[in-house]
Amino acid sequence: GEEVAQTPKHLVRGEGQKAKLYCAPIKGHSYVFWYQQVLKNEFKFLISFQNENVFDETGMPKERFSAKCLPNSPCSLEIQATKLEDSAVYFCASSQSREIYEQYFGPGTRLTVT
Amino acid sequence: DQQVKQNSPSLSVQEGRISILNCDYTNSMFDYFLWYKKYPAEGPTFLISISSIKDKNEDGRFTVFLNKSAKHLSLHIVPSQPGDSAVYFCAADRNTDKLIFGTGTRLQVFP
């Protein structure tokens, strides 16, 4: 598609439950990024993919967070055993290649952990 | 450690006037800078970018200036329009592909 698509728009989970978020990058874009916006104006990088390969996972809390980008499927970000502090808006972005720095963002998934 | 800083949380400008949004950074290894605009409940929208080898880039009403020696960049919007009212984020990249964002400046353009 011409835009980054993210589903669901909103997700509510009880503490300890699993949460799974999905992202479809722009068609033809090789790179996918996940960012977490906890406080209103702070973006934290989580992980990036080059096609289906993890490119940079330095921002991922590895104990409970995992992510995948499989061929012919939306990318996913999964949080096992959610905690209250995981409540945030999770943005996915895609870019065409390493030589093109501009990243295009999806509308985000708002995760609320109660 | 905040590597990209936007020290003005908000800015109010009259329609038709110039809006100037500022951004400072600390890491001299950053080689590319971007500005994003964000409306509530939406994702950031890419506006304009600049490579570290340039000092100015212009696109319509938007111009970005980069001062490498001062580690400072600014976004100029002229003339400002009410539809420009949003939160503006400065972001930087050092060839690692992950963007480092500032904390944003809320721009309000009033009639």
Side-chain angles (χ1 to χ4, degrees):
Chain A
E2 293 295 317
E3 294 180 340
V4 176
Q6 288 189 251
T7 55
K9 209 171 174 70
H10 301 281
L11 191 56
V12 180
R13 288 289 179 264
E15 209 173 359
Q17 291 185 316
K18 185 171 78 174
K20 197 163 186 178
L21 292 63
Y22 297 92
C23 167
I26 292 172
K27 197 174 176 182
H29 281 197
S30 305
Y31 286 81
V32 171
F33 306 82
W34 286 97
Y35 293 88
Q36 179 194 53
Q37 190 185 29
V38 177
L39 299 173
K40 241 184 177 180
N41 288 347
E42 296 215 15
F43 288 87
K44 180 192 170 195
F45 167 78
L46 292 175
I47 190 169
S48 61
F49 287 84
Q50 180 185 9
N51 296 312
E52 61 266 27
N53 303 307
V54 174
F55 189 74
D56 181 349
E57 57 181 346
T58 52
M60 284 284 268
K62 294 209 181 116
E63 303 80 38
R64 298 180 297 108
F65 283 59
S66 62
K68 290 180 192 173
C69 275
L70 299 175
N72 304 313
S73 296
C75 296
S76 63
L77 176 69
E78 190 167 334
I79 309 172
Q80 303 282 345
T82 52
K83 296 184 177 181
L84 294 175
E85 66 253 32
D86 299 331
S87 295
V89 182
Y90 291 83
F91 289 102
C92 173
S94 70
S95 70
Q96 198 167 348
S97 69
R98 279 212 76 183
E99 291 71 35
I100 297 175
Y101 287 76
E102 288 80 6
Q103 296 180 18
Y104 295 88
F105 283 76
T109 293
R110 179 176 292 280
L111 171 66
T112 302
V113 181
T114 60
Chain B
D1 176 31
Q2 190 73 30
Q3 297 185 68
V4 179
K5 299 177 188 177
Q6 292 177 257
N7 292 318
S8 299
S10 63
L11 176 67
S12 194
V13 171
Q14 189 172 30
E15 183 178 3
R17 303 272 193 169
I18 185 171
S19 295
I20 300 176
L21 296 102
N22 294 303
C23 178
D24 297 294
Y25 61 95
T26 56
N27 192 335
S28 56
M29 299 298 289
F30 287 139
D31 59 359
Y32 207 81
F33 302 90
L34 308 92
W35 283 95
Y36 285 84
K37 171 181 174 179
K38 188 178 181 304
Y39 293 119
E42 293 185 13
T45 301
F46 169 71
L47 267 180
I48 192 169
S49 59
I50 188 166
S51 162
S52 60
I53 61 173
K54 295 187 174 181
D55 54 18
K56 178 182 174 181
N57 188 25
E58 193 172 348
D59 183 2
R61 296 186 298 115
F62 302 93
T63 304
V64 55
F65 295 92
L66 175 62
N67 182 335
K68 280 183 66 178
S69 59
K71 296 195 182 70
H72 177 84
L73 63 154
S74 60
L75 174 68
H76 292 212
I77 307 172
V78 55
S80 301
Q81 298 172 355
D84 295 331
S85 297
V87 179
Y88 288 78
F89 290 91
C90 167
D93 191 315
R94 54 182 175 93
N95 201 30
T96 59
D97 299 309
K98 61 186 175 195
L99 296 179
I100 309 296
F101 283 86
T103 50
T105 297
R106 180 177 299 280
L107 172 66
Q108 186 174 9
V109 180
F110 60 92

